[in-house]
Amino acid sequence: GAVVSQHPSRVICKSGTSVKIECRSLDFQATTMFWYRQFPKQSLMLMATSNEGSKATYEQGVEKDKFLINHASLTLSTLTVTSAHPEDSSFYICSASPQIKNSPLHFGNGTRLTVT
Amino acid sequence: QKEVEQNSGPLSVPEGAIASLNCTYSDRVSQSFFWYRQYSGKSPELIMSIYSNGDKEDGRFTAQLNKASQYVSLLIRDSQPSDSATYLCAVNIKAAGNKLTFGGGTRVLVKP
């Protein structure tokens, strides 16, 4: 089955620093990957769509200069949280699907970010 | 109206009973429907996909799709405490650029 790997699983950083999260599709190519954020006891919120070889598409209200997305290859997308603040503490999850019609999304294991 | 709606629950069911979860969606032309299970602190995992009207069974899970009424449901037979989780309904919504749109999830509690 399609496997999506996300790293790191957990990170604690100080306020003002930047954190990079990697998302890899291990056994398929993904021209598109999706980044979600989930606060405790809330539903998944799509942050942005990562497009291989072009700019990411951000959802309304998501700051593109704060959440930098790079999708340099068909198997890797990265999300960098720049100048992190405590309110950025959340569970960040990436997802991707094989390029087959109606194929479901497969999720990485998520990254728990804590900004102190 | 939200694009994908679910009752937030919690849905409390005794062990061994059937848990019935419902999901309605707004886009009449949606073609792909998925159920994900999410344990607390974990990422969602796919448990069922359904594309045609009717029932689809996989082990203790049955997905039911009715496109005319725009709803999709999930039945969990012989519910186990390990089934306690949040279940997310996801639908490809054309108006959202064919992105997979998630409902808010239904929290299920299976009591021994």
Side-chain angles (χ1 to χ4, degrees):
Chain A
V3 178
V4 176
S5 174
Q6 187 173 343
H7 179 80
S9 59
R10 189 177 294 269
V11 60
I12 301 172
C13 70
K14 291 186 177 179
S15 188
T17 60
S18 295
V19 174
K20 180 186 282 189
I21 303 169
E22 292 188 348
C23 180
R24 295 180 186 272
S25 55
L26 296 186
D27 51 0
F28 65 97
Q29 293 182 333
T31 55
T32 303
M33 291 185 176
F34 302 91
W35 288 95
Y36 292 84
R37 179 168 55 182
Q38 187 174 38
F39 293 104
K41 298 189 186 296
Q42 295 188 22
S43 61
L44 289 171
M45 288 183 55
L46 179 64
M47 298 176 66
T49 302
S50 173
N51 304 300
E52 187 268 335
S54 64
K55 291 182 180 180
T57 306
Y58 291 82
E59 296 300 302
Q60 192 172 9
V62 178
E63 299 174 58
K64 63 180 181 180
D65 294 330
K66 179 169 184 64
F67 299 99
L68 301 180
I69 291 173
N70 184 282
H71 194 153
S73 78
L74 287 172
T75 60
L76 173 64
S77 174
T78 61
L79 169 69
T80 301
V81 183
T82 63
S83 186
H85 288 95
E87 57 265 31
D88 298 323
S89 298
S90 188
F91 191 44
Y92 293 84
I93 316 172
C94 73
S95 66
S97 67
Q99 297 170 70
I100 303 170
K101 185 182 177 183
N102 295 330
S103 184
L105 277 181
H106 297 272
F107 288 86
N109 287 332
T111 298
R112 175 77 55 194
L113 171 64
T114 302
V115 184
T116 60
Chain B
Q1 181 190 4
K2 290 183 181 177
E3 293 170 320
V4 181
E5 291 203 66
Q6 296 180 253
N7 189 314
S8 62
L11 176 65
S12 185
V13 296
E15 184 175 358
I18 296 175
S20 178
L21 294 79
N22 294 316
C23 170
T24 58
Y25 59 94
S26 61
D27 188 357
R28 280 198 160 273
V29 300
S30 294
Q31 297 293 320
S32 309
F33 308 86
F34 308 94
W35 283 99
Y36 289 83
R37 177 177 62 198
Q38 186 176 25
Y39 291 112
S40 180
K42 303 293 185 182
S43 67
E45 56 178 321
L46 179 70
I47 53 173
M48 289 287 285
S49 58
I50 187 166
Y51 308 101
S52 307
N53 280 325
D55 294 2
K56 179 181 178 182
E57 188 175 314
D58 184 359
R60 295 186 296 111
F61 298 102
T62 298
Q64 299 174 316
L65 176 61
N66 184 322
K67 291 185 180 180
S69 300
Q70 293 174 234
Y71 82 78
V72 55
S73 61
L74 179 72
L75 300 178
I76 308 173
R77 289 183 300 282
D78 188 23
S79 296
Q80 301 296 309
S82 60
D83 294 326
S84 297
T86 296
Y87 290 80
L88 302 167
C89 171
V91 180
N92 274 106
I93 299 289
K94 186 177 181 181
N98 269 326
K99 290 177 200 169
L100 201 58
T101 302
F102 287 85
T106 298
R107 186 167 161 236
V108 173
L109 294 174
V110 181
K111 297 185 175 180

